[in-house]
């Protein structure tokens, strides 16, 4: 059965932290540029907590938001109410899952690849990326870079065994 290629994209600290209650606790322009470049291909999926109704997505493609809301979303966004149905409807396509924490938890089981920015240090985050080391193997590591006093590197992880669902 044909299924989508699901890629989770995230920046995480040494404790798998994604963000604090105030937002992302690091400022890495190179990471943001890489993130924007990755989203130029495929379909973008985000969780309701990541959705910002005032921000309009860049590009011509809609951004899909997994939500329980019934009211319309902002221009350029489309609501998704069932993740399994969404994946079936987009079989054969690349889906870029940009989180947040709740969406990553729901979709890790479908992921083929993780594109992670590993941010060195514990930023006392309150939102976390799910544990992934047992199901994925590191296939590519970039050099450590430093911006705004923060060390980070880009990593690509691939699923050890193919997704069957």
């Amino acid at each position: 059965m044909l299924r989508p290629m699901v890629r989770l994209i995230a920046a995480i600290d040494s404790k798998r932290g994604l963000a604090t209650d105030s937002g992302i606790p690091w400022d890495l322009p190179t990471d943001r540029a890489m993130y924007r470049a990755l989203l130029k291909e495929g379909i973008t999926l985000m969780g309701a907590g990541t959705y910002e109704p005032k921000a309009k997505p860049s590009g011509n493609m809609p951004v899909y938001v997994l939500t329980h809301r019934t009211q319309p979303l902002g221009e350029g966004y489309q609501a998704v109410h069932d993740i399994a149905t969404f994946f079936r409807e987009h079989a054969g396509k690349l889906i870029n899952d940009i989180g947040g924490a709740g969406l990553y938890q729901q979709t890790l089981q479908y992921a083929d690849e993780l594109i992670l920015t590993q941010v060195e240090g514990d930023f006392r985050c309150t939102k976390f990326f799910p544990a992934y080391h047992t199901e994925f193997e590191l296939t590519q590591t970039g050099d450590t870079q430093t911006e705004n006093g923060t060390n980070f590197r880009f990593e690509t992880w691939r699923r050890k065994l193919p997704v069957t669902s």
Side-chain angles (χ1 to χ4, degrees):
M1 181 168 138
L2 189 61
R3 54 178 299 283
M5 158 59 165
V6 179
R7 174 166 78 177
L8 277 56
I9 303 170
I12 60 175
D13 73 7
S14 298
K15 304 258 185 184
R16 293 192 334 269
L18 292 162
T20 66
D21 292 335
S22 303
I24 297 173
W26 46 78
D27 179 23
L28 304 173
T30 300
D31 175 56
R32 286 193 304 275
M34 193 265 316
Y35 172 83
R36 283 190 301 273
L38 288 169
L39 297 184
K40 287 183 179 180
E41 62 176 326
I43 296 167
T44 302
L45 173 67
M46 68 174 59
T50 303
Y51 165 70
E52 295 180 30
K54 294 179 182 162
K56 186 176 182 221
S58 60
N60 296 328
M61 298 291 289
V63 171
Y64 295 90
V65 180
L66 183 65
T67 181
H68 297 294
R69 295 172 46 154
T70 55
Q71 60 269 47
L73 300 175
E75 182 183 347
Y77 295 94
Q78 289 186 12
V80 171
H81 300 290
D82 179 73
I83 198 70
T85 301
F86 175 76
F87 286 157
R88 277 193 305 276
E89 291 171 349
H90 293 89
K93 297 180 182 172
L94 170 63
I95 296 174
N96 294 306
D97 178 339
I98 61 169
L103 182 61
Y104 290 138
Q105 191 68 43
Q106 291 180 57
T107 57
L108 184 69
Q109 65 182 322
Y110 302 104
D112 300 287
E113 184 177 69
L114 311 176
I115 306 292
L116 300 177
T117 303
Q118 294 283 347
V119 182
E120 293 181 10
D122 178 357
F123 286 78
R124 301 205 185 317
C125 292
T126 55
K127 296 164 181 65
F128 295 89
F129 194 82
Y132 59 93
H133 287 95
T134 59
E135 297 175 52
F136 293 84
E137 61 187 342
L138 182 62
T139 59
Q140 187 175 359
T141 303
D143 294 333
T144 298
Q145 302 176 53
T146 304
E147 284 184 337
N148 297 319
T150 303
N151 295 331
F152 65 99
R153 70 186 171 283
F154 299 117
E155 295 181 347
T156 301
W157 294 74
R158 293 234 164 75
R159 184 170 288 283
K160 292 178 182 177
L161 298 173
V163 176
T164 57
S165 54

